[in-house]
Amino acid sequence: MAITLPVRVQAAASQLAFWLPAPLRRVLAGPPVRRDGQELALDAQLLLRLQKIARAELVRGSVEQSRALLDEARHLVSGKPIEPVSVREVSVPTPDPRSSAERSASVGGMDGLPATLYTPVGLPEPSPLLVFFHGGGWVIGTRASHDNAARFLAKHAGVRVLSVEYRLAPEFPFPAATEDALAAFEYAVAKASDLGADPARIAVGGDSAGGNLAAVTAQQAVRRGGPVPAFQLLIYPATDFARRYRSQDLFAEDLFLTDVHMKWFEGHYVPEGTDLTDPRLSPLRAEDLSGLPPALVVTAGFDPLRDEGEAYAEKLREAGVEVALRRHEDLIHGFINFTGVGTRFREALAETAGALRQGLSKRD
């Protein structure tokens, strides 16, 4: 998609705002926001202020309008493509009972799931690989919306990243995305040599809805008794549809992801009558988490999903799973997509990339 002139102008204005001296940025952002013993980062507060001025919203109108809005908005906050990273398009076969023609139509003309393989230039083979599932509430995200996040992780973690275009709701509601995510992981293991990957060091990961899919994929892989991910990277994951958490009330409004947005996503993704405790939907509700691979759970302090993500980390720990929990107390939901503005978001993602590198490092 070509970047329009108005979007270029808005992007330039946003960049200028973040280059202002700190006192001027504070004036523009407003008084510090403090909640639940935390103070919102100035970069995050300024971004929210600019979004409010521009009347930018995560969700607006129909599904089609919201998808178009996200595709446009990404150019304002993600920055220039991170280099040097090579890109190769891949098609992931899926065990799908629908006709080949119907599946092809659903994923943009490809007989399978489109995916992008990101490889840092100079990375030797075989290398660790992250099978990455983008966020967007299972409804509006794409590989394109998370292009720079995938590039960043590839470059700074020193891994290949396979970013997967799983099927979206409401066209394909739950459990379609979970089926696609598991198929993508199994494909990565089976075709590791073709992807330049070490089959023993393949991780699953994602943010928000993608973090949910990564957690579900790890659980299903263990239950199937086949290949299991070497690591889980769960960035502010949704883990429990069956309960309302305190953070959903604390951060219900004005912090990028709102309570209204979450209900909108759930209404499109979850068919009426679905058991909300199904572990494929709510991985926190799984009875047994033992045997799962090591995990890094990353949360944001000012995020309605904060508490359920941290509850999942605690349940993993209780099950004997090696887990690290990192709460960025001063950040908001979606921060891995804001690498083009300010510095705080990049710092947080750089720390995450470092942990991913360590999690996939060779062990004697």
Side-chain angles (χ1 to χ4, degrees):
M1 174 182 172
I3 305 176
T4 63
L5 181 59
V7 171
R8 291 179 184 274
V9 171
Q10 289 183 59
S14 296
Q15 289 287 342
L16 179 61
F18 280 91
W19 280 106
L20 291 171
L24 292 181
R25 282 184 279 135
R26 172 53 67 194
V27 170
L28 182 57
V33 173
R34 298 185 178 93
R35 202 173 300 176
D36 199 30
Q38 308 167 137
E39 181 173 324
L40 189 61
L42 178 55
D43 278 353
Q45 191 175 341
L46 180 57
L47 176 62
L48 292 170
R49 177 60 179 161
L50 293 174
Q51 289 180 328
K52 191 169 186 178
I53 291 172
R55 297 182 179 179
E57 299 178 54
L58 181 60
V59 170
R60 182 192 301 164
S62 68
V63 168
E64 292 73 19
Q65 289 171 323
S66 297
R67 288 172 178 169
L69 185 70
L70 179 64
D71 191 54
E72 181 178 275
R74 68 186 175 92
H75 297 294
L76 304 178
V77 293
S78 62
K80 296 179 180 179
I82 292 170
E83 301 290 0
V85 178
S86 68
V87 173
R88 174 160 68 95
E89 296 305 299
V90 176
S91 179
V92 177
T94 58
D96 193 333
R98 295 177 302 158
S99 70
S100 182
E102 184 184 358
R103 181 169 69 226
S104 178
S106 75
V107 293
M110 294 184 71
D111 187 14
L113 299 173
T116 302
L117 179 65
Y118 296 88
T119 304
V121 171
L123 186 68
E125 296 185 15
S127 75
L129 181 141
L130 171 68
V131 182
F132 181 80
F133 310 115
H134 62 76
W138 305 271
V139 178
I140 63 173
T142 64
R143 290 173 295 156
S145 67
H146 286 64
D147 175 72
N148 242 13
R151 288 173 176 270
F152 191 104
L153 289 172
K155 179 178 178 179
H156 293 279
V159 302
R160 285 169 166 79
V161 175
L162 184 68
S163 182
V164 182
E165 200 79 79
Y166 56 87
R167 288 171 293 166
L168 298 178
E171 295 90 343
F172 303 97
F174 171 82
T178 66
E179 295 167 352
D180 292 350
L182 181 60
F185 168 69
E186 292 178 339
Y187 166 83
V189 174
K191 298 296 184 180
S193 60
D194 294 343
L195 299 172
D198 177 352
R201 291 189 290 162
I202 296 179
V204 291
D207 67 309
S208 193
N212 169 278
L213 294 176
V216 169
T217 297
Q219 288 187 14
Q220 292 190 101
V222 170
R223 283 199 299 269
R224 284 193 173 197
V228 175
F231 190 77
Q232 304 175 73
L233 177 62
L234 311 179
I235 304 172
Y236 36 81
T239 66
D240 191 1
F241 280 82
R243 174 189 162 189
R244 185 172 181 87
Y245 289 78
R246 176 170 170 267
S247 58
Q248 290 174 252
D249 294 321
L250 282 173
F251 313 114
E253 298 178 349
D254 300 324
L255 292 164
F256 185 67
L257 177 66
T258 70
D259 197 50
V260 170
H261 297 154
M262 292 174 65
K263 290 176 180 176
W264 188 87
F265 289 132
E266 181 176 346
H268 286 95
Y269 179 55
V270 184
E272 187 174 350
T274 300
D275 177 6
L276 299 183
T277 67
D278 186 332
R280 296 173 300 163
L281 182 66
S282 299
L284 181 60
R285 295 290 169 163
E287 292 184 4
D288 183 10
L289 299 183
S290 62
L292 287 173
L296 169 65
V297 180
V298 180
T299 63
F302 288 78
D303 182 356
L305 293 181
R306 183 193 71 186
D307 290 356
E308 64 190 84
E310 295 180 1
Y312 190 63
E314 180 58 29
K315 190 167 182 178
L316 286 170
R317 184 175 292 111
E318 291 172 353
V321 177
E322 182 182 347
V323 59
L325 170 64
R326 173 62 163 109
R327 179 197 291 188
H328 292 280
E329 292 188 349
D330 57 345
L331 292 183
I332 57 176
H333 190 86
F335 69 76
I336 73 167
N337 294 110
F338 307 148
T339 53
V341 291
T343 58
R344 181 64 188 99
F345 307 119
R346 293 178 70 93
E347 289 172 357
L349 189 53
E351 180 183 310
T352 301
L356 175 62
R357 179 191 289 269
Q358 180 62 31
L360 288 175
S361 62
K362 287 186 176 180
R363 294 181 173 88
D364 296 330

Short mmCIF file of all heavy atoms in Angstrom, two decimals, residues 217-267:
data_model
loop_
_atom_site.label_atom_id
_atom_site.label_comp_id
_atom_site.label_asym_id
_atom_site.label_seq_id
_atom_site.Cartn_x
_atom_site.Cartn_y
_atom_site.Cartn_z
N THR A 217 -0.76 -22.84 21.06
CA THR A 217 0.03 -23.73 20.21
C THR A 217 0.98 -24.58 21.05
O THR A 217 1.12 -25.79 20.83
CB THR A 217 0.83 -22.92 19.17
OG1 THR A 217 -0.09 -22.24 18.31
CG2 THR A 217 1.73 -23.81 18.34
N ALA A 218 1.64 -23.97 22.02
CA ALA A 218 2.55 -24.72 22.89
C ALA A 218 1.79 -25.81 23.64
O ALA A 218 2.26 -26.96 23.75
CB ALA A 218 3.25 -23.78 23.86
N GLN A 219 0.62 -25.47 24.16
CA GLN A 219 -0.17 -26.47 24.89
C GLN A 219 -0.60 -27.62 23.99
O GLN A 219 -0.48 -28.80 24.35
CB GLN A 219 -1.42 -25.81 25.49
CG GLN A 219 -1.14 -24.90 26.67
CD GLN A 219 -2.42 -24.41 27.33
OE1 GLN A 219 -3.50 -24.94 27.09
NE2 GLN A 219 -2.30 -23.39 28.17
N GLN A 220 -1.09 -27.29 22.80
CA GLN A 220 -1.55 -28.34 21.89
C GLN A 220 -0.40 -29.22 21.42
O GLN A 220 -0.56 -30.44 21.25
CB GLN A 220 -2.27 -27.71 20.69
CG GLN A 220 -3.59 -27.05 21.05
CD GLN A 220 -4.38 -26.66 19.82
OE1 GLN A 220 -5.31 -27.32 19.42
NE2 GLN A 220 -3.98 -25.55 19.20
N ALA A 221 0.75 -28.60 21.19
CA ALA A 221 1.92 -29.39 20.76
C ALA A 221 2.31 -30.41 21.82
O ALA A 221 2.62 -31.57 21.50
CB ALA A 221 3.09 -28.45 20.45
N VAL A 222 2.29 -29.99 23.08
CA VAL A 222 2.62 -30.92 24.17
C VAL A 222 1.59 -32.03 24.26
O VAL A 222 1.93 -33.22 24.39
CB VAL A 222 2.72 -30.15 25.51
CG1 VAL A 222 2.80 -31.12 26.68
CG2 VAL A 222 3.92 -29.23 25.51
N ARG A 223 0.32 -31.68 24.16
CA ARG A 223 -0.73 -32.70 24.27
C ARG A 223 -0.68 -33.70 23.11
O ARG A 223 -1.02 -34.87 23.29
CB ARG A 223 -2.10 -32.03 24.30
CG ARG A 223 -2.46 -31.40 25.65
CD ARG A 223 -3.93 -31.18 25.77
NE ARG A 223 -4.44 -30.27 24.76
CZ ARG A 223 -4.52 -28.94 24.92
NH1 ARG A 223 -4.11 -28.41 26.05
NH2 ARG A 223 -5.01 -28.18 23.96
N ARG A 224 -0.26 -33.25 21.93
CA ARG A 224 -0.20 -34.15 20.78
C ARG A 224 0.95 -35.15 20.88
O ARG A 224 0.94 -36.18 20.21
CB ARG A 224 -0.04 -33.34 19.49
CG ARG A 224 -1.33 -32.66 19.04
CD ARG A 224 -1.18 -32.17 17.63
NE ARG A 224 -2.44 -31.66 17.11
CZ ARG A 224 -2.69 -31.47 15.81
NH1 ARG A 224 -1.75 -31.75 14.93
NH2 ARG A 224 -3.86 -31.01 15.41
N GLY A 225 1.93 -34.83 21.67
CA GLY A 225 3.04 -35.76 21.83
C GLY A 225 4.07 -35.70 20.73
O GLY A 225 4.97 -36.54 20.67
N GLY A 226 3.99 -34.69 19.86
CA GLY A 226 4.97 -34.53 18.79
C GLY A 226 6.01 -33.48 19.15
O GLY A 226 6.33 -33.28 20.33
N PRO A 227 6.55 -32.80 18.14
CA PRO A 227 7.54 -31.74 18.39
C PRO A 227 6.95 -30.65 19.29
O PRO A 227 5.76 -30.31 19.17
CB PRO A 227 7.85 -31.21 16.99
CG PRO A 227 7.46 -32.31 16.06
CD PRO A 227 6.30 -32.99 16.69
N VAL A 228 7.77 -30.13 20.16
CA VAL A 228 7.35 -29.09 21.10
C VAL A 228 8.23 -27.86 20.91
O VAL A 228 9.44 -27.99 20.68
CB VAL A 228 7.48 -29.60 22.55
CG1 VAL A 228 7.16 -28.49 23.56
CG2 VAL A 228 6.55 -30.78 22.78
N PRO A 229 7.67 -26.65 20.98
CA PRO A 229 8.50 -25.46 20.85
C PRO A 229 9.62 -25.43 21.89
O PRO A 229 9.46 -25.94 23.00
CB PRO A 229 7.50 -24.30 21.08
CG PRO A 229 6.16 -24.88 20.75
CD PRO A 229 6.24 -26.32 21.14
N ALA A 230 10.72 -24.84 21.51
CA ALA A 230 11.84 -24.72 22.44
C ALA A 230 11.63 -23.59 23.43
O ALA A 230 12.25 -23.57 24.50
CB ALA A 230 13.14 -24.48 21.66
N PHE A 231 10.71 -22.66 23.10
CA PHE A 231 10.56 -21.45 23.91
C PHE A 231 9.23 -20.80 23.56
O PHE A 231 8.74 -20.95 22.43
CB PHE A 231 11.72 -20.49 23.63
CG PHE A 231 11.82 -19.31 24.56
CD1 PHE A 231 12.33 -19.48 25.84
CD2 PHE A 231 11.43 -18.04 24.15
CE1 PHE A 231 12.44 -18.39 26.71
CE2 PHE A 231 11.54 -16.95 25.00
CZ PHE A 231 12.05 -17.12 26.29
N GLN A 232 8.65 -20.10 24.52
CA GLN A 232 7.43 -19.32 24.27
C GLN A 232 7.71 -17.85 24.56
O GLN A 232 8.19 -17.51 25.66
CB GLN A 232 6.30 -19.75 25.20
CG GLN A 232 5.91 -21.21 25.17
CD GLN A 232 4.86 -21.49 26.22
OE1 GLN A 232 3.69 -21.12 26.11
NE2 GLN A 232 5.28 -22.16 27.29
N LEU A 233 7.38 -16.99 23.61
CA LEU A 233 7.49 -15.54 23.80
C LEU A 233 6.07 -14.98 23.80
O LEU A 233 5.44 -14.85 22.75
CB LEU A 233 8.32 -14.91 22.67
CG LEU A 233 8.44 -13.39 22.72
CD1 LEU A 233 9.15 -12.93 23.99
CD2 LEU A 233 9.17 -12.87 21.48
N LEU A 234 5.57 -14.66 24.98
CA LEU A 234 4.18 -14.24 25.14
C LEU A 234 4.15 -12.77 25.56
O LEU A 234 4.41 -12.43 26.72
CB LEU A 234 3.49 -15.12 26.19
CG LEU A 234 3.67 -16.64 26.01
CD1 LEU A 234 2.95 -17.39 27.12
CD2 LEU A 234 3.20 -17.10 24.64
N ILE A 235 3.85 -11.91 24.60
CA ILE A 235 3.88 -10.47 24.82
C ILE A 235 2.45 -9.97 25.05
O ILE A 235 1.59 -10.12 24.20
CB ILE A 235 4.51 -9.74 23.63
CG1 ILE A 235 5.91 -10.29 23.35
CG2 ILE A 235 4.57 -8.24 23.88
CD1 ILE A 235 6.55 -9.75 22.08
N TYR A 236 2.22 -9.41 26.24
CA TYR A 236 0.88 -9.01 26.72
C TYR A 236 -0.23 -9.91 26.14
O TYR A 236 -1.13 -9.44 25.45
CB TYR A 236 0.58 -7.53 26.50
CG TYR A 236 1.10 -6.87 25.23
CD1 TYR A 236 0.45 -7.00 24.02
CD2 TYR A 236 2.25 -6.06 25.27
CE1 TYR A 236 0.91 -6.38 22.88
CE2 TYR A 236 2.72 -5.45 24.13
CZ TYR A 236 2.04 -5.61 22.93
OH TYR A 236 2.49 -4.99 21.78
N PRO A 237 -0.16 -11.21 26.47
CA PRO A 237 -1.10 -12.16 25.88
C PRO A 237 -2.49 -12.10 26.52
O PRO A 237 -2.64 -11.83 27.72
CB PRO A 237 -0.45 -13.52 26.19
CG PRO A 237 0.25 -13.28 27.49
CD PRO A 237 0.78 -11.87 27.41
N ALA A 238 -3.51 -12.37 25.72
CA ALA A 238 -4.86 -12.63 26.24
C ALA A 238 -4.89 -14.10 26.63
O ALA A 238 -4.59 -14.96 25.82
CB ALA A 238 -5.90 -12.34 25.16
N THR A 239 -5.26 -14.39 27.87
CA THR A 239 -5.18 -15.77 28.34
C THR A 239 -6.48 -16.29 28.94
O THR A 239 -6.59 -17.50 29.19
CB THR A 239 -4.07 -15.94 29.39
OG1 THR A 239 -4.41 -15.20 30.57
CG2 THR A 239 -2.72 -15.48 28.85
N ASP A 240 -7.47 -15.41 29.19
CA ASP A 240 -8.66 -15.90 29.91
C ASP A 240 -9.90 -15.08 29.54
O ASP A 240 -10.06 -13.95 29.99
CB ASP A 240 -8.41 -15.82 31.42
CG ASP A 240 -9.46 -16.54 32.24
OD1 ASP A 240 -10.39 -17.12 31.63
OD2 ASP A 240 -9.36 -16.54 33.48
N PHE A 241 -10.77 -15.69 28.75
CA PHE A 241 -12.04 -15.05 28.39
C PHE A 241 -13.12 -15.28 29.46
O PHE A 241 -14.17 -14.66 29.41
CB PHE A 241 -12.55 -15.62 27.06
CG PHE A 241 -11.90 -15.04 25.84
CD1 PHE A 241 -10.68 -15.52 25.41
CD2 PHE A 241 -12.51 -14.03 25.12
CE1 PHE A 241 -10.08 -15.00 24.27
CE2 PHE A 241 -11.93 -13.50 24.00
CZ PHE A 241 -10.71 -13.97 23.56
N ALA A 242 -12.85 -16.17 30.40
CA ALA A 242 -13.90 -16.61 31.33
C ALA A 242 -13.99 -15.78 32.60
O ALA A 242 -14.86 -16.02 33.43
CB ALA A 242 -13.68 -18.08 31.69
N ARG A 243 -13.10 -14.81 32.76
CA ARG A 243 -13.11 -14.02 33.99
C ARG A 243 -12.72 -12.59 33.68
O ARG A 243 -11.93 -12.33 32.76
CB ARG A 243 -12.13 -14.62 35.00
CG ARG A 243 -11.95 -13.79 36.26
CD ARG A 243 -10.81 -14.30 37.13
NE ARG A 243 -10.39 -13.27 38.08
CZ ARG A 243 -9.31 -13.36 38.86
NH1 ARG A 243 -8.56 -14.45 38.81
NH2 ARG A 243 -8.98 -12.38 39.68
N ARG A 244 -13.28 -11.65 34.44
CA ARG A 244 -12.88 -10.24 34.31
C ARG A 244 -11.85 -9.92 35.39
O ARG A 244 -12.09 -10.16 36.58
CB ARG A 244 -14.09 -9.32 34.44
CG ARG A 244 -13.75 -7.85 34.18
CD ARG A 244 -14.98 -6.97 34.13
NE ARG A 244 -14.61 -5.59 33.87
CZ ARG A 244 -14.45 -5.06 32.65
NH1 ARG A 244 -14.64 -5.83 31.59
NH2 ARG A 244 -14.12 -3.80 32.49
N TYR A 245 -10.72 -9.35 34.98
CA TYR A 245 -9.63 -9.07 35.91
C TYR A 245 -9.61 -7.60 36.32
O TYR A 245 -10.13 -6.73 35.62
CB TYR A 245 -8.29 -9.46 35.27
CG TYR A 245 -8.11 -10.95 35.16
CD1 TYR A 245 -8.75 -11.68 34.15
CD2 TYR A 245 -7.36 -11.66 36.09
CE1 TYR A 245 -8.61 -13.06 34.06
CE2 TYR A 245 -7.21 -13.04 36.01
CZ TYR A 245 -7.85 -13.73 34.99
OH TYR A 245 -7.72 -15.09 34.91
N ARG A 246 -8.95 -7.36 37.44
CA ARG A 246 -8.88 -6.00 37.99
C ARG A 246 -8.30 -5.00 36.99
O ARG A 246 -8.78 -3.87 36.88
CB ARG A 246 -8.04 -6.02 39.27
CG ARG A 246 -7.80 -4.66 39.92
CD ARG A 246 -7.16 -4.85 41.29
NE ARG A 246 -6.70 -3.58 41.84
CZ ARG A 246 -5.46 -3.11 41.70
NH1 ARG A 246 -4.57 -3.83 41.01
NH2 ARG A 246 -5.12 -1.96 42.23
N SER A 247 -7.29 -5.41 36.24
CA SER A 247 -6.66 -4.48 35.29
C SER A 247 -7.62 -4.05 34.19
O SER A 247 -7.46 -2.97 33.61
CB SER A 247 -5.41 -5.12 34.68
OG SER A 247 -5.71 -6.33 34.02
N GLN A 248 -8.64 -4.87 33.90
CA GLN A 248 -9.61 -4.49 32.89
C GLN A 248 -10.47 -3.32 33.36
O GLN A 248 -10.96 -2.54 32.55
CB GLN A 248 -10.49 -5.69 32.52
CG GLN A 248 -9.74 -6.76 31.75
CD GLN A 248 -10.59 -7.98 31.53
OE1 GLN A 248 -10.38 -9.03 32.14
NE2 GLN A 248 -11.56 -7.89 30.65
N ASP A 249 -10.66 -3.21 34.67
CA ASP A 249 -11.39 -2.07 35.22
C ASP A 249 -10.48 -0.86 35.40
O ASP A 249 -10.87 0.27 35.13
CB ASP A 249 -12.02 -2.45 36.56
CG ASP A 249 -13.10 -3.51 36.41
OD1 ASP A 249 -13.87 -3.44 35.43
OD2 ASP A 249 -13.16 -4.41 37.26
N LEU A 250 -9.25 -1.10 35.84
CA LEU A 250 -8.31 0.00 36.07
C LEU A 250 -7.96 0.75 34.79
O LEU A 250 -7.78 1.97 34.79
CB LEU A 250 -7.02 -0.54 36.68
CG LEU A 250 -7.02 -0.89 38.16
CD1 LEU A 250 -5.70 -1.57 38.53
CD2 LEU A 250 -7.22 0.37 39.01
N PHE A 251 -7.84 0.02 33.68
CA PHE A 251 -7.34 0.59 32.43
C PHE A 251 -8.35 0.42 31.30
O PHE A 251 -7.99 0.12 30.16
CB PHE A 251 -6.00 -0.06 32.07
CG PHE A 251 -5.03 -0.13 33.22
CD1 PHE A 251 -4.64 -1.34 33.76
CD2 PHE A 251 -4.54 1.04 33.80
CE1 PHE A 251 -3.76 -1.41 34.84
CE2 PHE A 251 -3.67 0.99 34.88
CZ PHE A 251 -3.28 -0.23 35.40
N ALA A 252 -9.61 0.65 31.63
CA ALA A 252 -10.69 0.39 30.67
C ALA A 252 -10.80 1.43 29.57
O ALA A 252 -11.35 1.15 28.51
CB ALA A 252 -12.02 0.28 31.41
N GLU A 253 -10.25 2.63 29.80
CA GLU A 253 -10.45 3.72 28.84
C GLU A 253 -9.16 4.50 28.62
O GLU A 253 -8.30 4.57 29.49
CB GLU A 253 -11.54 4.67 29.33
CG GLU A 253 -12.92 4.03 29.49
CD GLU A 253 -13.94 5.03 30.02
OE1 GLU A 253 -13.54 6.13 30.45
OE2 GLU A 253 -15.15 4.70 30.01
N ASP A 254 -9.07 5.08 27.43
CA ASP A 254 -8.07 6.12 27.11
C ASP A 254 -6.61 5.64 27.12
O ASP A 254 -5.69 6.46 27.20
CB ASP A 254 -8.19 7.31 28.06
CG ASP A 254 -9.55 7.96 27.98
OD1 ASP A 254 -10.12 8.02 26.87
OD2 ASP A 254 -10.06 8.41 29.03
N LEU A 255 -6.39 4.32 27.02
CA LEU A 255 -5.02 3.82 27.05
C LEU A 255 -4.75 2.87 25.89
O LEU A 255 -4.15 1.82 26.03
CB LEU A 255 -4.75 3.12 28.40
CG LEU A 255 -4.71 4.06 29.60
CD1 LEU A 255 -4.83 3.29 30.90
CD2 LEU A 255 -3.43 4.90 29.60
N PHE A 256 -5.21 3.26 24.70
CA PHE A 256 -5.03 2.57 23.43
C PHE A 256 -5.99 1.40 23.29
O PHE A 256 -6.90 1.42 22.46
CB PHE A 256 -3.58 2.12 23.23
CG PHE A 256 -3.33 1.50 21.87
CD1 PHE A 256 -3.41 2.28 20.72
CD2 PHE A 256 -3.05 0.15 21.73
CE1 PHE A 256 -3.22 1.72 19.46
CE2 PHE A 256 -2.84 -0.41 20.47
CZ PHE A 256 -2.93 0.38 19.35
N LEU A 257 -5.82 0.32 24.08
CA LEU A 257 -6.77 -0.79 24.06
C LEU A 257 -7.79 -0.54 25.16
O LEU A 257 -7.44 -0.44 26.33
CB LEU A 257 -6.06 -2.12 24.30
CG LEU A 257 -6.95 -3.36 24.38
CD1 LEU A 257 -7.63 -3.64 23.04
CD2 LEU A 257 -6.15 -4.58 24.84
N THR A 258 -9.06 -0.44 24.78
CA THR A 258 -10.10 -0.13 25.75
C THR A 258 -11.02 -1.32 25.98
O THR A 258 -10.99 -2.32 25.25
CB THR A 258 -10.96 1.06 25.28
OG1 THR A 258 -11.75 0.64 24.16
CG2 THR A 258 -10.08 2.24 24.86
N ASP A 259 -11.87 -1.20 26.98
CA ASP A 259 -12.85 -2.24 27.27
C ASP A 259 -13.81 -2.42 26.10
O ASP A 259 -14.18 -3.54 25.76
CB ASP A 259 -13.62 -1.86 28.54
CG ASP A 259 -14.35 -3.04 29.14
OD1 ASP A 259 -13.74 -4.09 29.34
OD2 ASP A 259 -15.56 -2.91 29.41
N VAL A 260 -14.19 -1.31 25.47
CA VAL A 260 -15.08 -1.38 24.31
C VAL A 260 -14.42 -2.15 23.17
O VAL A 260 -15.05 -3.00 22.52
CB VAL A 260 -15.46 0.04 23.83
CG1 VAL A 260 -16.18 -0.01 22.49
CG2 VAL A 260 -16.34 0.72 24.88
N HIS A 261 -13.13 -1.91 22.94
CA HIS A 261 -12.40 -2.63 21.89
C HIS A 261 -12.37 -4.13 22.19
O HIS A 261 -12.60 -4.96 21.29
CB HIS A 261 -10.96 -2.13 21.80
CG HIS A 261 -10.83 -0.70 21.41
ND1 HIS A 261 -9.74 0.06 21.77
CD2 HIS A 261 -11.64 0.11 20.70
CE1 HIS A 261 -9.89 1.28 21.29
NE2 HIS A 261 -11.03 1.34 20.64
N MET A 262 -12.09 -4.47 23.44
CA MET A 262 -11.98 -5.89 23.79
C MET A 262 -13.30 -6.62 23.57
O MET A 262 -13.33 -7.76 23.08
CB MET A 262 -11.50 -6.02 25.23
CG MET A 262 -10.07 -5.55 25.43
SD MET A 262 -9.53 -5.55 27.17
CE MET A 262 -9.59 -7.29 27.55
N LYS A 263 -14.39 -5.99 23.91
CA LYS A 263 -15.70 -6.61 23.69
C LYS A 263 -15.99 -6.73 22.20
O LYS A 263 -16.61 -7.70 21.75
CB LYS A 263 -16.78 -5.79 24.40
CG LYS A 263 -16.69 -5.89 25.92
CD LYS A 263 -17.71 -4.97 26.60
CE LYS A 263 -17.59 -5.09 28.13
NZ LYS A 263 -18.51 -4.15 28.82
N TRP A 264 -15.56 -5.74 21.41
CA TRP A 264 -15.75 -5.77 19.96
C TRP A 264 -14.98 -6.94 19.35
O TRP A 264 -15.51 -7.69 18.54
CB TRP A 264 -15.28 -4.44 19.37
CG TRP A 264 -15.57 -4.21 17.93
CD1 TRP A 264 -16.70 -3.68 17.38
CD2 TRP A 264 -14.68 -4.45 16.82
NE1 TRP A 264 -16.59 -3.57 16.01
CE2 TRP A 264 -15.36 -4.04 15.63
CE3 TRP A 264 -13.39 -4.96 16.70
CZ2 TRP A 264 -14.77 -4.14 14.37
CZ3 TRP A 264 -12.81 -5.05 15.45
CH2 TRP A 264 -13.50 -4.65 14.30
N PHE A 265 -13.73 -7.11 19.78
CA PHE A 265 -12.93 -8.23 19.28
C PHE A 265 -13.55 -9.56 19.67
O PHE A 265 -13.68 -10.48 18.83
CB PHE A 265 -11.50 -8.15 19.82
CG PHE A 265 -10.67 -7.04 19.25
CD1 PHE A 265 -9.94 -6.19 20.08
CD2 PHE A 265 -10.61 -6.84 17.88
CE1 PHE A 265 -9.16 -5.17 19.55
CE2 PHE A 265 -9.84 -5.81 17.33
CZ PHE A 265 -9.12 -4.97 18.17
N GLU A 266 -13.93 -9.70 20.93
CA GLU A 266 -14.53 -10.95 21.39
C GLU A 266 -15.82 -11.26 20.63
O GLU A 266 -16.07 -12.41 20.24
CB GLU A 266 -14.82 -10.89 22.88
CG GLU A 266 -15.42 -12.18 23.42
CD GLU A 266 -15.63 -12.16 24.93
OE1 GLU A 266 -15.07 -11.26 25.60
OE2 GLU A 266 -16.35 -13.04 25.43
N GLY A 267 -16.62 -10.24 20.37
CA GLY A 267 -17.87 -10.45 19.66
C GLY A 267 -17.68 -10.96 18.25
O GLY A 267 -18.53 -11.69 17.74
#
